[in-house]
């Protein structure tokens, strides 16, 4: 049973409190049962010894009064001989005095012992008158009497049983109290023992940098090796993250320059080669492919930055002013596409908690999608408002929207809606926006209406 409890405590990955309870209570119950069995035997033995002393004293007191007068055995039964045997349970007392099996006085039907030791008191249990009694007996040799005189005194054992019951109840109550108190105190003891870990948890939550090592000096000795391993992992992760950041920065420069040179050379060749329909078509395809490649590289780099973005650089940002500027930057492109951009915002600054560069990246991606896919004559609406404890950016258009069969997969990486109008896209814009929103504790939601698409970004308001 104990082995079962210990194995359960080792295999189950529950809380520390439950593991300690299983590891302690199971063995403690087993030990309590063992102590209970041993305590029962010890209690019975002690009660028997304590109650045998008055019985021995009674037999000895009667034996000491035996005498021989004119050849006859005489005795004087002292009242104290039986007074010693009085108890709260009022046990019955029986006695007899015999010589050679002949009754001198007492109860004639009280069974005699097979053998009796001279001058020594012996004890035995017998059944007499349908009761269990304890009998003390001894034998004395008297002058001029050739046979020993046997004295027996017995009493019922209800008093002994009552005392044993009381002691066993007290022992059981003590063991149950011990187990119960242990079960009650273990959770409190665990909470007290885990206080250093709570301090480490608080330090981890309040640290400014993501890769700041956890303090080792505050940790108990038992978990220091775990914290050292965790700090080592953080250091490796920081090294890997720095490598990705350096790669992103380098790749951003290395990719953009060749693509820009390629587009410039395409424009130069377009002017130098004879103007024919086939040449114009080929140069248009080359320029569109280069532009798409440039856009894809920019979005891949943005996605890489989004994957490594953290909440460490969050600050208070005026969402209304930032989005107004981004909408103004995209207005010329919308006008060239035959679209209108409408902006609405609160009369006063709306301060949210976020990263201005990441918010600009999200808004730029959403506006780019809206302008790209809404179609000629569409209206793109950009709105900024407060909703409870959040600032909300909404970008909606009244274009053709997303077909029903593509709506469930909208926002997945490289998921593109079919058709010529989507030929320039890469399917990364909404993925980047969603990942950046999560890095700022924000939420991106997409709503499909009868016409167009509505995308909302919710960011928590800045404190104060």
């Amino acid at each position: 049973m104990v082995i079962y409890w210990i194995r359960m405590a080792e295999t189950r990955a529950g809380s520390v409190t439950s593991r300690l309870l299983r590891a302690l209570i199971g063995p403690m119950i087993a030990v309590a049962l063992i102590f209970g069995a041993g305590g029962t035997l010890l209690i019975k033995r002690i009660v028997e010894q304590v109650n045998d002393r008055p019985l021995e004293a009674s037999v000895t007191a009667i034996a000491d009064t035996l005498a021989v007068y004119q050849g006859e055995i005489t005795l004087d039964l002292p009242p104290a001989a039986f007074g010693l045997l009085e108890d709260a349970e009022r046990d019955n007392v029986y006695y007899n005095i015999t010589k050679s099996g002949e009754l001198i006085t007492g109860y004639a039907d009280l069974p005699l012992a097979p053998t009796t030791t001279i001058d020594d008191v012996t004890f035995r249990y017998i059944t007499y008158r349908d009761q269990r009694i304890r009998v003390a007996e001894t034998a004395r040799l008297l002058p001029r009497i050739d046979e020993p005189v046997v004295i027996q005194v017995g009493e019922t054992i209800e008093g002994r049983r009552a005392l044993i019951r009381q002691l066993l109840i007290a022992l059981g109550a003590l063991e149950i109290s011990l187990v119960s108190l242990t079960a009650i105190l273990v959770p409190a003891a665990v909470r007290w023992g885990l206080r250093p870990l709570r301090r480490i948890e608080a330090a981890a939550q309040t640290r400014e940098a993501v890769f700041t090592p956890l303090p080792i000096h505050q940790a108990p000795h038992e978990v220091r090796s775990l914290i050292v391993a965790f700090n080592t992992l953080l250091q490796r992760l920081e090294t890997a993250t720095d490598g990705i950041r350096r790669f992103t920065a380098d790749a951003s420069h290395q990719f953009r320059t060749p693509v820009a040179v390629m587009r410039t050379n395409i424009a130069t060749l377009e002017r130098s080669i004879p103007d024919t329909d086939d040449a114009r078509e080929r140069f248009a395809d080359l320029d569109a492919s280069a532009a798409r490649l440039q856009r894809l590289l920019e979005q891949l780099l943005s996605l890489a930055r989004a994957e490594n973005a953290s909440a460490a650089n969050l600050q208070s940002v005026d969402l209304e002013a930032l989005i107004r500027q981004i909408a103004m930057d995209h207005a010329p492109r919308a006008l060239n596409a035959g679209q209108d951009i409408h902006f609405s915002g609160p009369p006063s600054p709306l301060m949210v908690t976020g990263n201005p560069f990441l918010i600009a990246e999200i808004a730029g991606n959403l506006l780019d999608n809206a302008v790209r896919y809404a179609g000629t004559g569409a209206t793109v609406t950009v709105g900024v408002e407060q909703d409870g404890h959040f600032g909300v950016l909404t970008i909606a258009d009244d274009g053709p929207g997303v077909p029903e069969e593509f709506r469930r997969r909208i926002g997945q990486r490289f998921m593109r809606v079919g058709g010529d109008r989507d030929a320039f896209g890469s399917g990364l814009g909404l993925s980047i926006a969603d990942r950046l929103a999560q890095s700022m504790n924000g939420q991106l939601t997409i709503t499909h209406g009868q016409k167009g698409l509505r995308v909302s970004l919710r960011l928590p308001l800045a404190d104060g």
Side-chain angles (χ1 to χ4, degrees):
M1 183 67 178
V2 177
I3 296 176
Y4 171 78
W5 275 83
I6 293 175
R7 287 181 177 177
M8 291 290 289
E10 290 177 348
T11 56
R12 291 185 181 179
S15 66
V16 175
T17 302
S18 62
R19 289 171 62 87
L20 282 178
L21 281 175
R22 289 194 296 268
L24 291 177
I25 299 302
M28 185 172 292
I29 292 175
V31 172
L33 292 175
I34 295 173
F35 282 179
T40 300
L41 297 176
L42 183 61
I43 286 173
K44 289 182 177 179
R45 181 176 179 182
I46 292 175
V47 169
E48 185 176 82
Q49 290 177 351
V50 170
N51 284 271
D52 280 349
R53 290 176 183 175
L55 198 58
E56 180 181 4
S58 177
V59 171
T60 303
I62 294 173
D64 289 343
T65 65
L66 291 175
V68 178
Y69 180 73
Q70 295 181 353
E72 296 291 333
I73 299 174
T74 63
L75 74 156
D76 182 12
L77 290 177
F82 298 112
L84 293 171
L85 302 178
E86 292 182 355
D87 55 31
E89 301 297 327
R90 298 187 178 277
D91 283 315
N92 296 326
V93 178
Y94 307 97
Y95 78 99
N96 66 11
I97 302 173
T98 60
K99 181 179 76 72
S100 300
E102 297 179 359
L103 180 67
I104 298 175
T105 183
Y107 293 82
D109 58 345
L110 184 63
L112 297 176
T115 58
T116 304
T117 305
I118 304 298
D119 293 332
D120 289 334
V121 179
T122 58
F123 300 90
R124 62 193 174 101
Y125 285 101
I126 65 172
T127 300
Y128 178 65
R129 295 185 179 183
D130 297 327
Q131 298 181 88
R132 190 72 171 167
I133 67 172
R134 179 74 165 171
V135 177
E137 55 199 11
T138 187
R140 292 291 176 90
L141 291 174
L142 300 178
R144 299 181 299 279
I145 301 298
D146 55 354
E147 294 291 335
V149 178
V150 178
I151 305 97
Q152 294 188 130
V153 178
E155 67 170 344
T156 56
I157 58 174
E158 290 304 318
R160 299 178 184 226
R161 288 175 175 171
L163 181 57
I164 289 173
R165 282 195 299 270
Q166 293 175 3
L167 293 176
L168 288 179
I169 290 174
L171 176 62
L174 182 62
E175 292 185 344
I176 293 175
S177 299
L178 178 61
V179 174
S180 301
L181 284 175
T182 301
I184 294 173
L185 293 177
V186 162
V190 170
R191 286 192 295 270
W192 176 81
L194 292 179
R195 281 182 182 177
L197 298 184
R198 299 292 185 189
R199 291 194 292 267
I200 294 174
E201 178 186 1
Q205 292 177 347
T206 57
R207 58 185 177 174
E208 296 181 356
V210 176
F211 300 108
T212 302
L214 294 177
I216 299 179
H217 63 278
Q218 297 180 0
H221 294 285
E222 293 80 0
V223 298
R224 286 190 177 181
S225 58
L226 175 62
I227 294 179
V228 170
F230 179 76
N231 289 340
T232 303
L233 178 62
L234 281 181
Q235 185 177 3
R236 293 177 180 175
L237 184 59
E238 183 179 17
T239 302
T241 303
D242 289 339
I244 294 175
R245 289 172 179 169
R246 287 193 299 270
F247 167 77
T248 302
D250 295 340
S252 177
H253 174 73
Q254 297 296 329
F255 284 156
R256 287 174 181 173
T257 301
V259 172
V261 171
M262 182 173 63
R263 296 195 65 183
T264 301
N265 290 331
I266 290 174
T268 302
L269 288 174
E270 187 176 8
R271 290 191 298 269
S272 62
I273 293 179
D275 186 13
T276 63
D277 292 339
D278 182 65
R280 284 194 300 271
E281 183 178 353
R282 292 182 181 277
F283 277 115
D285 289 342
L286 286 173
D287 188 59
S289 298
R292 182 181 175 186
L293 176 60
Q294 184 178 20
R295 177 63 179 170
L296 177 60
L297 291 175
E298 290 175 352
Q299 289 196 320
L300 285 174
L301 294 173
S302 296
L303 183 60
R305 288 194 297 268
E307 294 291 348
N308 293 280
S310 67
N313 298 320
L314 299 185
Q315 55 186 281
S316 181
V317 181
D318 185 353
L319 184 64
E320 189 274 339
L322 179 61
I323 300 304
R324 180 187 294 274
Q325 182 60 48
I326 294 173
M328 292 175 61
D329 294 340
H330 281 73
R333 184 173 165 217
L335 293 175
N336 291 334
Q339 301 170 354
D340 292 333
I341 289 186
H342 293 172
F343 176 83
S344 62
S348 58
L350 180 59
M351 308 305 294
V352 297
T353 300
N355 186 307
F357 300 102
L358 301 186
I359 296 175
E361 186 77 24
I362 294 174
N365 271 302
L366 298 181
L367 269 173
D368 181 76
N369 283 342
V371 172
R372 188 181 307 279
Y373 300 125
T376 304
T379 299
V380 178
T381 303
V382 181
V384 176
E385 61 181 349
Q386 180 176 344
D387 181 14
H389 298 287
F390 294 89
V392 182
L393 162 65
T394 302
I395 298 178
D397 65 79
D398 57 359
V402 179
E404 184 72 28
E405 62 270 21
F406 293 100
R407 290 182 179 179
R408 289 187 177 180
R409 296 189 294 123
I410 193 73
Q412 296 179 4
R413 294 183 182 181
F414 303 105
M415 203 295 293
R416 296 165 53 198
V417 179
D420 294 339
R421 64 187 181 89
D422 192 44
F424 190 79
S426 62
L428 289 174
L430 290 177
S431 297
I432 295 172
D434 183 59
R435 182 63 187 88
L436 292 176
Q438 294 178 21
S439 70
M440 295 184 291
N441 302 316
Q443 182 182 13
L444 194 73
T445 57
I446 303 173
T447 306
H448 303 277
Q450 293 182 351
K451 294 184 64 178
L453 193 68
R454 179 186 180 93
V455 184
S456 297
L457 170 66
R458 296 170 63 88
L459 293 171
L461 293 179
D463 296 334

